Amino acid sequence: MTADDAARNGATLSITDASFAFGDVRILDDASADFSPGEFTALVGPNGSGKTTILQLLSGLRALDAGTVSRPASPGRTVAYLPQTPGFRGGFTARETIGFYAALVDAEDDPIDLLERVGLGDAADRPVGALSGGMTRLLGIAQALIGDPPVVVLDEPTSGLDPDTADYIFDVIGRIASEDRLVVTASHDLAGVEACADRVLLVSNGEFVLDDSPAALLDASDAATLREVFSATVGTADRSAVPRPSVGGDA
């Protein structure tokens, strides 16, 4: 599928007949999915199922073995990728950090505006080394918004955070998606995904085995929680899979 085909289908991002493996370890096997603007999609799956790798394939940081990924053809920054553990120069303030990255991509974004959009307006002049873990993730999300990309890809943005901070970050992600932007997030926080995501895409054994809204998945399985849906769908063998190589985060 070309970028024009994806646009005609209403998709911002598409992965079609995609296959990828590390040696004989399969990550994707002839898998396809379309992603639409205004959608908060959560990619879930067991440890080692390939979530980080799939995000990198969607973002263009890795190349497929077979198949295609169609991304927006608009000028400027089209896909922003935030790794699970973003790193920033310790000598910069939050404001200076956003200004630095905006200059790198010739964007004219106001750093204060981006920081306020993620709730960091009051921390604009705080050194990044003095930010909490949650604030550092929010700074990363603000960085991802530089240049107004139509696609934002976030790897485990709530990992290791307390529940209240995780809930706030999911709320921020939902607001970003509501701006007619596609947000794809890998997450193990199934409660947060159930409460906030528009769509859940479950990857297992190289395939997208579930793909629907949280409410629809609960209705179809007669389950009380997304965690129950996950446990019923993913076998014990896949849950104990050996982690794959990746560029940071969960493979």
Side-chain angles (χ1 to χ4, degrees):
M1 179 182 290
T2 67
D4 288 342
D5 291 333
R8 282 193 292 271
N9 290 336
T12 295
L13 182 70
S14 295
I15 187 167
T16 307
D17 302 328
S19 296
F20 183 85
F22 292 111
D24 59 357
V25 178
R26 178 181 59 182
I27 301 299
L28 288 176
D29 186 11
D30 199 30
S32 298
D34 292 332
F35 303 87
S36 300
E39 183 180 78
F40 173 10
T41 295
L43 180 66
V44 303
N47 287 328
S49 59
K51 297 185 296 299
T52 289
T53 301
I54 292 169
L55 295 186
Q56 293 166 354
L57 291 166
L58 291 174
S59 302
L61 299 177
R62 291 186 185 274
L64 289 167
D65 296 333
T68 60
V69 177
S70 297
R71 303 179 187 89
S74 57
R77 193 182 191 202
T78 58
V79 179
Y81 173 81
L82 182 68
Q84 181 174 338
T85 308
F88 303 106
R89 289 187 59 178
F92 281 9
T93 64
R95 182 207 309 259
E96 291 168 339
T97 297
I98 297 301
F100 172 76
Y101 284 105
L104 284 181
V105 296
D106 294 324
E108 297 182 357
D109 300 87
D110 179 0
I112 294 298
D113 176 64
L114 289 179
L115 292 172
E116 288 178 344
R117 288 172 67 185
V118 300
L120 289 181
D122 291 342
D125 295 318
R126 187 178 301 184
V128 295
L131 298 177
S132 67
M135 295 170 79
T136 300
R137 301 287 176 82
L138 289 167
L139 180 61
I141 294 173
Q143 177 197 350
L145 294 176
I146 291 171
D148 196 28
V151 179
V152 174
V153 178
L154 309 173
D155 192 3
E156 292 283 358
T158 64
S159 176
L161 301 179
D162 66 80
D164 287 345
T165 302
D167 288 348
Y168 178 77
I169 288 178
F170 272 127
D171 286 343
V172 169
I173 293 171
R175 292 200 299 270
I176 291 170
S178 72
E179 301 167 350
D180 204 32
R181 194 188 319 273
L182 168 64
V183 182
V184 183
T185 301
S187 182
H188 286 293
D189 184 354
L190 296 181
V193 166
E194 181 180 334
C196 298
D198 299 309
R199 175 185 179 190
V200 177
L201 195 61
L202 194 157
V203 60
S204 178
N205 293 320
E207 301 177 354
F208 299 129
V209 296
L210 291 178
D211 181 4
D212 216 325
S213 68
L217 292 176
L218 295 180
D219 288 343
S221 62
D222 198 28
T225 66
L226 190 59
R227 170 63 184 274
E228 292 180 12
V229 176
F230 180 95
S231 296
T233 305
V234 179
T236 55
D238 200 15
R239 285 201 297 269
S240 62
V242 176
R244 325 314 190 212
S246 66
V247 183
D250 167 39

